[in-house]
Amino acid sequence: MARNGEQRDRRVRGVAARAGGWSARHRWAAVGIWVLFVVVAMGLGSVAGRVDVSEDDQLKGETSQAARIIDDAGVDEPAGETVLVQSKDGQLRATAPEFKAAVADVVRAVEGTGKVTAVRSPYAADARTISKDGRTALVQFDMRGDPDTAADRVEPVQKAVAGVAGDHDALRIEEIGAASMNKTFDDAFGEDFQRAEYSAVPVALGILLIAFGALVAALLPVALAVTAIMATMGLMGIVSHLQPMSETANSVMLLVGLAVGVDYCLFYVRREREERMKGHDPQTALRVAAATSGRAIIVSGVTVCVAMAGMLFTGLAEFQAMGLASLMVVAVAMVGSVTVLPALLSLLGERVEKGRIPFLHPTKRRNGSKANGEGGSRFWSRVLTVVLARPAVSVAVAVVALLAIAAPALGMKTQNLTVDQEFGDSLPIVATYDRVNAAFPGGSDPAEVVVKADDINSADARAALADFRAQAVSSGASRGPVEVTVHRDQNVAIIDVPLVGGSDQDKAEKSLALLRDEVRPATFGEVDGAEAPITGQVAGSKDFNDQIVGSVVPVFAFVVTFAFLLMLLSFRSLTVAITSIVLNLLSVGAAYGVLVAIFQHGWGASLVGAEGVGAIIAWLPLFLFVILFGLSMDYHVFVVSRIKEARLQGRTNLDAIRHGVVTTAGVVTSAAVIMVAVFSIFGTLSMQSMKQMGVGLAAAILIDATVIRGVLLPAVMALLGERNWYLPKWLHRMPDLTHDEAGMEPAPVPHEGGEEVRV
């Protein structure tokens, strides 16, 4: 028996195995250290506070340059608001007494709130805020106080405007502006987001209850994921002082943390349970799980972290925040899975099966599951029988199907969505936005030219401002009114230019190009020390899109190269490394095709409660590539590790493939269902960008867990045969990060009658 113990110790090597062994032997210490880590991280994060990404950091180029000039000059741009006054039937004109009376009532009402300043009537001499057809007029004003918190103070103004609207039935009187739009969106979607985030945990728990059939076993993955998320939230506060964070990064971190935290724990617990069902005692089952699933978790976790690190190469502060937050939560979940989880399983022992649910617990399904000879999925066993019988046909069919799904992605168009694209007709304020744009093209989102000169009051500077104002209209870039605000003491001027094209992004970008490439150099080119960066919604979208496109190559190269190297080191197989990359790229391509088909072309959009908006939001393709490339490695590493383990045990290539896929099918399916369910929740939100993200992620995970891992991977490995494990001689000197526990003589397992047998 001493020899058996020595053999078991020798069999267990590697970081994951050693960490699991230490935790199992020092279980209370391991649990205490984890709890202390979570509490300390949260406490330090609370004390440090969180620094969020500022507007200056959002983009490089002209948008950032304009924000820097305004900040350096100390110019406070108030939150501007507009009240649309428009004839409902088109008969009443702005010159009519009733129309003028309504405008006067609006002016009195908003001034009476005490929340506004600089109220401008459309009838002022230089206002030019009456439409060409004379049926629409705009009352403009600024909110008092900090523009960043104006949304918190705009409600009394909105109520005052609504009161005036009720007194003038023939006119449409509606408010729109930065403060009112922010308040509307926050009210409408703040609870929406919160509800989605809160419902993700119960959904995951429900699926885990079905997967494990026992309450305690189902609670473990959720507990690990939640504590990992809590610790990461604290760490985000500390790290934000070096790399600012954001609310978007927080939401992405929660999604990724829940996905990988549950997945990693699921992999570990399922393997430990599987070994116990084979007859191993809990300690031996835990050692095997640590050496196999634990190692797969580390390989997968490091690969996911590398993929997330790719976002740091975009140069976009928002992306860098998302990448760093995601990287941290994956690292924390990975460490927790191979340390505190073995300790908890050791503490619980057989009690992990407490709270059994009738008809769902594996003991109720055991006889059926053994029918396939592997103790795994009968469905995937039948699928594999067909796939492995004709691997070449299976590869051809799967590849053609995936390429057909991916085909629409060749025509992908990306842009930042306009308000009407983002929200459709779900909010009344969106209709107001469209009406303002129809009457005053570009008036809702004007381009903003921030002019800085050595002397903004000089004759040359004044002439250039006037010339720019005139040429902006004469060039065809704008139909006016072009408004110029000069801050003499700061030597800064701000020019608001409504762009021809309005909410039509393509046409508006052409107008922007006219301003940047023709009007600006012709007017400000000769002014001493003049800078005139052009910002605004259209400019920001254009600059963001250009920067995203420019970062695709470095991000792609970084993620693919390092993922390839990690797979090469982890499996010591050039073939596995290459096929891993190719299969993941097929999965990502198919996800892109689904996105374009649904949201750009509108094919089947109503089936997911969406609508074709003609474009994919600019940040999503790169975000999806990084997230999916990382998350899909979870399944790939787990399945291939099990196949290699079976091969090292002496099984034939086809038998090892069948064993690896069938025995992991249950956990991969459970993990995929959880991910698809969680991501689908975000696909139910009203914002099109969130729908696109949720549907894209859910579709990609579904494709990856079925077509890729269930059909294409086993078929490709069947065709390759022993070439699956090919490694050139010149690479044999690489560090050996593989595990060889499975290749050694099996450990003795107690027989029911007490006699030791080999398994």
Side-chain angles (χ1 to χ4, degrees):
M1 292 299 292
R3 175 176 173 77
N4 291 335
E6 179 184 346
Q7 183 184 54
R8 289 177 185 176
D9 290 341
R10 182 168 57 86
R11 282 162 51 83
V12 178
R13 70 178 182 85
V15 175
R18 288 197 295 271
W22 185 91
S23 297
R25 291 192 302 273
H26 307 86
R27 39 201 190 181
W28 284 113
V31 173
I33 290 171
W34 177 257
V35 172
L36 182 64
F37 163 68
V38 174
V39 172
V40 169
M42 292 180 63
L44 291 177
S46 177
V47 171
R50 198 177 79 182
V51 178
D52 281 350
V53 174
S54 67
E55 186 178 348
D56 297 15
D57 298 326
Q58 289 284 2
L59 284 173
K60 294 180 179 177
E62 293 196 28
T63 304
S64 178
Q65 184 186 2
R68 177 182 53 78
I69 290 173
I70 291 173
D71 283 352
D72 290 348
V75 174
D76 291 326
E77 287 190 283
E81 288 289 299
T82 295
V83 176
L84 171 83
V85 183
Q86 186 179 63
S87 172
K88 286 183 178 178
D89 59 8
Q91 300 300 314
L92 205 59
R93 292 181 173 270
T95 53
E98 185 179 345
F99 201 114
K100 289 184 176 181
V103 168
D105 287 348
V106 169
V107 171
R108 281 193 298 271
V110 297
E111 285 181 334
T113 64
K115 304 290 184 181
V116 308
T117 184
V119 181
R120 302 177 292 282
S121 168
Y123 299 114
D126 59 346
R128 289 187 289 182
T129 50
I130 297 177
S131 63
K132 288 186 177 180
D133 64 7
R135 295 180 175 86
T136 305
L138 304 178
V139 177
Q140 298 177 318
F141 52 89
D142 299 326
M143 293 296 299
R144 293 183 183 275
D146 185 353
D148 293 335
T149 59
D152 299 332
R153 302 184 302 276
V154 76
E155 187 173 2
V157 184
Q158 290 177 308
K159 289 182 177 179
V161 171
V164 175
D167 296 334
H168 298 273
D169 294 335
L171 294 168
R172 184 178 288 113
I173 301 175
E174 300 166 339
E175 183 177 351
I176 191 171
S180 53
M181 291 178 78
N182 285 339
K183 176 171 173 35
T184 301
F185 298 154
D186 288 346
D187 289 348
F189 303 110
E191 293 182 4
D192 205 9
F193 271 111
Q194 204 171 52
R195 187 166 55 251
E197 292 177 350
Y198 287 161
S199 61
V201 172
V203 167
L205 179 59
I207 296 169
L208 286 168
L209 282 172
I210 296 173
F212 284 119
L215 180 61
V216 174
L219 284 171
L220 277 180
V222 174
L224 177 71
V226 170
T227 53
I229 289 169
M230 291 166 62
T232 306
M233 289 179 68
L235 295 177
M236 284 174 66
I238 301 169
V239 173
S240 69
H241 293 272
L242 299 175
Q243 167 61 58
M245 292 293 164
S246 68
E247 286 301 320
T248 304
N250 203 56
S251 295
V252 170
M253 182 276 293
L254 188 148
L255 269 178
V256 173
L258 186 61
V260 299
V262 169
D263 273 11
Y264 293 164
C265 194
L266 187 61
F267 294 164
Y268 210 109
V269 174
R270 283 291 287 263
R271 183 59 188 265
E272 190 267 350
R273 170 186 270 181
E274 180 185 327
E275 295 301 321
R276 282 192 292 106
M277 291 178 68
K278 287 180 180 178
H280 289 98
D281 60 83
Q283 290 74 25
T284 303
L286 189 57
R287 281 198 292 270
V288 174
T292 53
S293 291
R295 176 188 170 277
I297 287 168
I298 289 181
V299 173
S300 172
V302 173
T303 307
V304 175
C305 286
V306 167
M308 300 305 175
M311 292 196 214
L312 303 177
F313 290 84
T314 61
L316 296 165
E318 191 75 60
F319 261 65
Q320 291 171 329
M322 289 191 292
L324 193 54
S326 301
L327 186 156
M328 288 192 296
V329 78
V330 171
V332 171
M334 176 184 68
V335 171
S337 297
V338 297
T339 56
V340 71
L341 182 57
L344 290 171
L345 289 172
S346 179
L347 280 169
L348 290 169
E350 294 290 346
R351 286 172 294 181
V352 76
E353 305 294 349
K354 288 285 187 180
R356 295 186 179 189
I357 301 173
F359 309 110
L360 291 180
H361 195 270
T363 55
K364 301 294 184 183
R365 306 179 301 219
R366 198 166 180 179
N367 292 334
S369 67
K370 284 185 174 181
N372 55 40
E374 298 289 354
S377 167
R378 285 176 291 174
F379 170 78
W380 284 111
S381 181
R382 289 193 291 268
V383 170
L384 279 176
T385 299
V386 177
V387 169
L388 297 181
R390 293 180 174 81
V393 174
S394 300
V395 168
V397 171
V399 169
V400 168
L402 289 172
L403 291 177
I405 296 172
L410 295 174
M412 181 186 290
K413 173 187 173 185
T414 61
Q415 67 179 51
N416 278 349
L417 302 183
T418 57
V419 173
D420 52 344
Q421 288 176 315
E422 181 73 272
F423 301 105
D425 56 0
S426 60
L427 295 175
I429 202 167
V430 176
T432 306
Y433 173 89
D434 290 335
R435 293 183 188 110
V436 172
N437 266 318
F440 304 91
S444 294
D445 292 306
E448 187 176 78
V449 187
V450 180
V451 183
K452 178 178 174 57
D454 291 341
D455 183 5
I456 202 70
N457 302 304
S458 67
D460 287 346
R462 291 199 305 271
L465 289 170
D467 200 12
F468 185 95
R469 185 176 187 176
Q471 287 195 36
V473 176
S474 64
S475 67
S478 176
R479 296 194 185 100
V482 178
E483 297 183 357
V484 180
T485 304
V486 179
H487 301 272
R488 301 184 185 279
D489 295 339
Q490 292 88 358
N491 285 320
V492 169
I494 298 175
I495 311 173
D496 288 327
V497 187
L499 296 173
V500 169
S503 59
D504 187 323
Q505 191 78 16
D506 291 335
K507 292 180 180 178
E509 284 186 7
K510 291 178 181 177
S511 301
L512 175 68
L514 280 175
L515 292 181
R516 285 180 166 177
D517 301 337
E518 297 181 17
V519 178
R520 179 172 56 187
T523 54
F524 293 112
E526 301 301 323
V527 179
D528 291 338
E531 298 178 69
I534 302 178
T535 184
Q537 190 274 330
V538 176
S541 176
K542 175 72 166 58
D543 294 346
F544 184 88
N545 210 21
D546 289 346
Q547 195 164 340
I548 282 285
V549 171
S551 64
V552 166
V553 173
V555 172
F556 182 92
F558 174 83
V559 172
V560 170
T561 300
F562 275 85
F564 172 83
L565 291 175
L566 283 169
M567 297 300 288
L568 184 63
L569 289 170
S570 300
F571 291 100
R572 289 184 68 81
S573 166
L574 185 62
T575 308
V576 167
I578 292 172
T579 54
S580 300
I581 300 301
V582 173
L583 293 181
N584 277 355
L585 291 177
L586 278 172
S587 178
V588 172
Y592 284 171
V594 170
L595 273 178
V596 172
I598 293 175
F599 294 99
Q600 187 170 316
H601 300 310
W603 302 339
S606 59
L607 298 178
V608 294
E611 57 187 74
V613 295
I616 305 302
I617 192 163
W619 54 265
L620 190 56
L622 191 61
F623 173 81
L624 275 181
F625 168 75
V626 171
I627 295 291
L628 294 177
F629 209 88
L631 293 183
S632 61
M633 279 296 184
D634 276 358
Y635 308 140
H636 193 80
V637 169
F638 191 63
V639 176
V640 176
S641 292
R642 198 63 182 268
I643 292 172
K644 184 171 184 179
E645 181 185 332
R647 190 73 185 91
L648 290 172
Q649 288 175 337
R651 293 175 183 256
T652 65
N653 183 58
L654 291 181
D655 193 29
I657 293 169
R658 176 184 294 277
H659 174 81
V661 173
V662 170
T663 55
T664 58
V667 67
V668 169
T669 300
S670 300
V673 169
I674 290 170
M675 280 198 188
V676 169
V678 170
F679 293 146
S680 295
I681 291 171
F682 282 78
T684 64
L685 300 185
S686 302
M687 294 173 65
Q688 290 295 311
S689 57
M690 290 297 102
K691 282 184 180 293
Q692 290 184 8
M693 184 188 77
V695 170
L697 286 169
I701 295 298
L702 186 61
I703 291 169
D704 190 81
T706 53
V707 180
I708 299 291
R709 309 302 159 203
V711 178
L712 199 50
L713 173 63
V716 168
M717 294 190 77
L719 284 176
L720 291 171
E722 290 306 311
R723 287 168 293 183
N724 282 310
W725 317 112
Y726 169 71
L727 185 70
K729 289 183 179 179
W730 58 275
L731 288 175
H732 284 187
R733 294 183 178 179
M734 291 189 312
D736 187 357
L737 301 184
T738 61
H739 69 290
D740 62 357
E741 300 85 320
M744 294 186 178
E745 184 184 0
V749 181
H751 188 265
E752 291 181 1
E755 180 185 355
E756 287 186 351
V757 297
R758 299 283 174 176
V759 296

